[in-house]
Amino acid sequence: MEETYLLNVEGVKKKILHGGQGELPKLQDGSKFTFHFQTLKDDFERTVIDDSREAGVPMEIIVGKMFKLEIWETLLSSMRIGEVAEFWCDTIHTGMYALVSRGMRRIAEGRDPLEGQKHRCGMGNMFDYHSTGYEDLDELQRAPQPLIFIMELFRVEDPSAYKRDTWAMSKEEKLAAVPVLHSEGNRLVLRREFAQAAAKYQEAVICLRNLQAKEKPWEDGWLKLESLVTPLVLNYCQCQLELGEYYEVLEHTTELLQKHNDNAKAYFKRAKAHAAVWNEREAREDFQRVAHLDPSMAAAVKKELKQLGERMRKKHVEDRKRYQGLFQSSQGL
């Protein structure tokens, strides 16, 4: 269709390039749009800035989740399934595009979209960036301008029709998901599916950490969430011990003990990881802390120390034989 349609939004024009099917989708908070898009400059050449088809993955946004380029939710809400439309958007709607594009490009490159970003509002972050890392986006950041978006809408899903990532969940949904994920992790441990169990525990921790970020550290709300995080982290570390990921265990238990230096279970798991990578002194120190903090674990500590001593003695014998062999070989040259 050649006719230009004006949306009931200031600074936006719409032109339908290919008609869609059915009625306009009924939307609610949590509905998910899946679509391809192309971003063009409003110049004579219609210079292409971004094209989701080049990345090979359609774009997804969630209604009501404060996507930084808010106008996109409005544009998509005017489309039918299968529709292809071109939207001209004035500068009042495109000022954040450089920041949004930067994140999308980083994701497509397999990089962290938030790398280097301070925990501030979107506009505050704009002033923090000296450069986006992309010359064309730096230009847009210095001088925002009207842009053209060509969009093809594939589907709109209700919140109940898809599994939402943790970032897309409400506070209540995250809190409800945690015990379910914890239980699923425990069930997988019983089946000795440790990698899958670790993923469940990790997802639960992410839910809680997201909620903690909105609380003041060490106040009641934060502490209540922390009490839920701790056993999940310990379960995750136990899975990593079973998988032989000892340095992963050292990292997470050390982080946990920086906040809770009286947690005997964290010391015990860290001691086992130290022992596994031949850090004898650190392992013995952690095992001794365990026995001091929790006398009920004294028998387990005694057993671990005995096994550590035997392993270290065996290693010393093997190392001595190896060095003797190397010395004799060098003497024969």
Side-chain angles (χ1 to χ4, degrees):
M1 299 181 182
E2 296 298 328
E3 184 179 0
T4 296
Y5 292 78
L6 299 180
L7 294 177
N8 190 25
V9 181
E10 181 184 358
V12 176
K13 299 177 184 178
K14 175 182 178 181
K15 178 163 57 177
I16 296 176
L17 305 180
H18 183 279
Q21 301 173 352
E23 301 296 323
L24 289 175
K26 295 180 180 179
L27 303 174
Q28 56 184 300
D29 276 2
S31 294
K32 180 169 72 172
F33 292 110
T34 302
F35 60 100
H36 267 308
F37 75 94
Q38 192 177 50
T39 304
L40 314 173
K41 287 186 178 181
D42 184 23
D43 57 13
F44 182 77
E45 296 84 6
R46 289 169 62 96
T47 306
V48 177
I49 301 172
D50 290 306
D51 189 338
S52 63
R53 284 185 172 81
E54 289 186 0
V57 180
M59 182 71 180
E60 296 177 349
I61 64 173
I62 309 295
V63 174
K65 295 303 177 183
M66 300 299 289
F67 183 64
K68 288 186 178 69
L69 203 64
E70 295 179 15
I71 192 61
W72 274 17
E73 189 174 311
T74 301
L75 305 183
L76 291 162
S77 299
S78 76
M79 299 178 68
R80 292 172 169 79
I81 304 301
E83 180 178 323
V84 181
E86 177 178 306
F87 299 92
W88 178 90
C89 294
D90 206 349
T91 309
I92 58 172
H93 301 297
T94 62
M96 294 295 292
Y97 186 78
L99 182 61
V100 172
S101 178
R102 175 184 186 268
M104 291 188 296
R105 291 184 188 187
R106 283 180 172 271
I107 291 171
E109 294 165 3
R111 301 163 66 190
D112 181 356
L114 301 180
E115 181 182 325
Q117 181 169 320
K118 297 182 180 180
H119 185 66
R120 294 170 56 183
C121 68
M123 191 58 69
N125 277 309
M126 286 289 283
F127 291 112
D128 285 329
Y129 294 137
H130 299 292
S131 172
T132 63
Y134 305 94
E135 187 176 343
D136 59 338
L137 298 184
D138 287 343
E139 178 190 342
L140 289 179
Q141 185 167 286
R142 286 191 298 268
Q145 56 191 266
L147 295 174
I148 297 167
F149 303 112
I150 299 177
M151 296 178 162
E152 180 179 2
L153 181 60
F154 296 132
R155 58 182 174 273
V156 178
E157 298 170 272
D158 290 337
S160 60
Y162 66 95
K163 183 181 184 298
R164 274 180 285 178
D165 293 330
T166 52
W167 65 266
M169 294 180 180
S170 66
K171 177 180 179 179
E172 292 73 20
E173 289 169 333
K174 288 175 182 173
L175 286 172
V178 167
V180 175
L181 291 165
H182 197 159
S183 178
E184 290 176 351
N186 293 346
R187 178 176 55 81
L188 289 163
V189 166
L190 292 174
R191 292 164 52 179
R192 302 192 63 79
E193 297 178 14
F194 297 113
Q196 295 88 333
K200 296 294 183 182
Y201 295 137
Q202 186 177 44
E203 188 175 353
V205 169
I206 290 170
C207 284
L208 294 170
R209 291 298 191 208
N210 287 342
L211 294 173
Q212 269 191 316
K214 297 177 175 63
E215 302 285 344
K216 290 185 178 180
W218 303 104
E219 292 195 356
D220 289 344
W222 188 94
L223 289 170
K224 184 176 180 181
L225 293 167
E226 185 68 13
S227 69
L228 299 175
V229 168
T230 300
L232 287 163
V233 172
L234 291 172
N235 287 359
Y236 174 83
C237 288
Q238 183 59 43
C239 290
Q240 297 304 321
L241 281 173
E242 297 286 352
L243 293 167
E245 299 291 344
Y246 304 118
Y247 290 102
E248 181 90 353
V249 177
L250 292 175
E251 177 185 347
H252 288 285
T253 51
T254 298
E255 182 181 352
L256 186 62
L257 288 165
Q258 287 171 349
K259 299 176 185 175
H260 312 286
N261 62 5
D262 59 348
N263 192 302
K265 291 182 179 179
Y267 278 118
F268 189 78
K269 295 184 192 303
R270 190 171 74 170
K272 286 177 70 70
H274 275 309
V277 296
W278 308 106
N279 296 337
E280 181 180 13
R281 179 179 61 81
E282 292 87 347
R284 289 188 180 278
E285 289 177 355
D286 278 354
F287 279 133
Q288 288 166 3
R289 288 192 186 97
V290 173
H292 174 74
L293 289 168
D294 188 350
S296 70
M297 298 181 70
V301 167
K302 184 177 179 180
K303 179 181 177 182
E304 292 290 340
L305 285 172
K306 181 180 178 181
Q307 291 178 350
L308 175 61
E310 291 172 351
R311 289 182 68 239
M312 295 308 300
R313 280 191 294 274
K314 183 177 179 181
K315 183 177 185 295
H316 292 326
V317 170
E318 292 174 351
D319 288 346
R320 188 162 56 248
K321 289 180 179 178
R322 187 179 303 111
Y323 295 144
Q324 287 175 348
L326 289 172
F327 177 74
Q328 290 171 356
S329 297
S330 63
Q331 289 289 93
L333 294 177

